């Protein structure tokens, strides 16, 4: 065996035999999925196929009924796992923006830097503006969410996730709450993040994005992966 074959890096995120039941209804049925560093994996499939539940299990917003989740070589389902530390490294962007309406964009992004990472306020503000710059909103740091479009609010939510410097970002239908004319600006940010090497797992119905930006596409139905491969 060659050295290159023997020394291939382990997956960044490795899901093994994941199952999830709500009562008697099993919504995820034995999913195995490994995601490599710098890979963009797009998860598609009909509504109710288990896509969002699978995504939420990746950082334990939903607890698996059965299975293992390995992240950066550690089993994050093990007793004593520091969930806050895990979630700092596994970022999440939701359908709804979940911004604090009384805070401006900069402060929405800086909040976790101050309270979770314990950064001094001045440094947190600088890092927040840098994160906003990455999503094209460096000039809107003083704007309240009510002064931003839906697409801009979602980009602030993406900046908030990026500010914690996660190893991977999970996107749960990031454009589903947006008017059609605003979808493009959010997808453009995801493409830029991909070009910069961010590891991402994206649940979305945007077929054009999956085809044009993903390294790999996963098709789910009835809680199972039915097919996977290049776009």
């Amino acid at each position: 065996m060659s050295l290159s074959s023997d020394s291939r890096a382990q997956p960044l995120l490795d899901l093994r035999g994941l199952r999830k039941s709500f009562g008697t209804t099993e919504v995820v049925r034995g999913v195995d999925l490994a995601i490599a560093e710098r890979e963009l994996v797009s998860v598609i499939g009909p509504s109710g196929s288990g896509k969002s539940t699978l995504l939420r299990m990746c950082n334990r917003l939903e607890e698996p009924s059965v299975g293992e989740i390995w992240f950066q070589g550690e089993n994050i389902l093990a007793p004593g796992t520091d969930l806050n530390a895990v979630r700092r490294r596994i970022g999440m962007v939701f359908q709804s923006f979940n911004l604090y309406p009384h805070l401006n964009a900069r402060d929405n992004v800086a909040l976790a830097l101050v309270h979770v990472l314990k950064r001094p306020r001045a440094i947190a503000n600088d890092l927040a503006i840098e994160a906003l710059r990455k999503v094209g909103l460096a000039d809107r740091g003083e704007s309240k969410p009510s002064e931003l479009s839906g697409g801009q609010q979602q980009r602030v939510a993406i900046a908030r996730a990026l500010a914690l410097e996660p190893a991977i970002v999970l996107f749960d239908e990031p454009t589903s709450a947006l008017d059609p004319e605003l979808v493009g600006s959010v997808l453009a940010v995801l493409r830029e993040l991909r070009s910069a090497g961010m590891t991402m797992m994206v649940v979305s119905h945007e077929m054009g994005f999956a085809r044009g930006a993903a390294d790999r596409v996963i098709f789910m139905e009835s809680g199972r992966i039915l097919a996977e491969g290049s776009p």
Side-chain angles (χ1 to χ4, degrees):
M1 180 180 291
S2 69
L3 178 62
S4 59
S5 300
D6 193 40
S7 61
R8 285 185 297 181
Q10 64 186 3
L12 181 69
L13 181 65
D14 193 3
L15 314 179
R16 304 177 185 176
L18 282 195
R19 294 179 177 270
K20 177 64 177 178
S21 296
F22 295 101
T24 59
T25 303
E26 192 173 39
V27 296
V28 175
R29 307 180 180 188
V31 167
D32 296 299
L33 177 62
I35 298 177
E37 193 170 354
R38 302 175 69 89
E39 188 178 23
L40 193 165
V41 174
S42 181
V43 184
I44 63 174
S47 297
S49 59
K51 306 185 301 296
S52 291
T53 300
L54 178 67
L55 197 74
R56 291 170 66 85
M57 284 194 288
C58 291
N59 69 350
R60 292 184 57 183
L61 287 176
E62 294 286 356
E63 292 291 342
S65 302
V66 177
E68 298 179 355
I69 302 174
W70 291 80
F71 173 62
Q72 294 182 319
E74 296 185 10
N75 179 8
I76 66 170
L77 293 177
T81 296
D82 183 343
L83 272 183
N84 288 329
V86 167
R87 289 171 182 158
R88 286 197 296 270
R89 300 293 290 154
I90 304 178
M92 185 112 183
V93 176
F94 301 90
Q95 299 178 36
S96 54
F97 322 127
N98 296 329
L99 301 178
Y100 290 100
H102 63 289
L103 298 180
N104 62 29
R106 181 200 63 222
D107 290 346
N108 263 285
V109 175
L111 193 64
L113 292 168
V114 172
H115 293 287
V116 177
L117 296 188
K118 308 301 181 184
R119 298 286 189 263
R121 170 61 69 174
I123 292 175
N125 286 344
D126 289 344
L127 293 172
I129 292 299
E130 174 61 18
L132 288 169
R133 183 194 63 75
K134 291 178 181 177
V135 299
L137 292 176
D139 61 340
R140 301 305 300 269
E142 298 296 329
S143 300
K144 298 283 184 65
S146 61
E147 299 169 325
L148 301 172
S149 70
Q152 289 171 327
Q153 290 182 61
Q154 187 61 293
R155 284 151 63 193
V156 172
I158 294 171
R160 179 177 57 192
L162 295 178
L164 295 176
E165 298 185 337
I168 183 172
V169 181
L170 314 174
F171 293 86
D172 187 9
E173 301 277 9
T175 60
S176 66
L178 302 179
D179 293 331
E181 65 269 22
L182 301 177
V183 168
S185 64
V186 173
L187 295 182
V189 169
L190 268 62
R191 291 188 181 94
E192 290 170 8
L193 293 176
R194 178 188 184 276
S195 297
M198 174 61 71
T199 309
M200 293 182 281
M201 184 175 175
V202 183
V203 169
S204 177
H205 291 290
E206 298 291 338
M207 295 299 100
F209 173 78
R211 182 171 57 248
D215 297 296
R216 188 160 42 120
V217 177
I218 306 295
F219 180 81
M220 288 188 69
E221 188 170 20
S222 301
R224 296 185 174 91
I225 293 177
L226 293 191
E228 66 176 289
S230 67

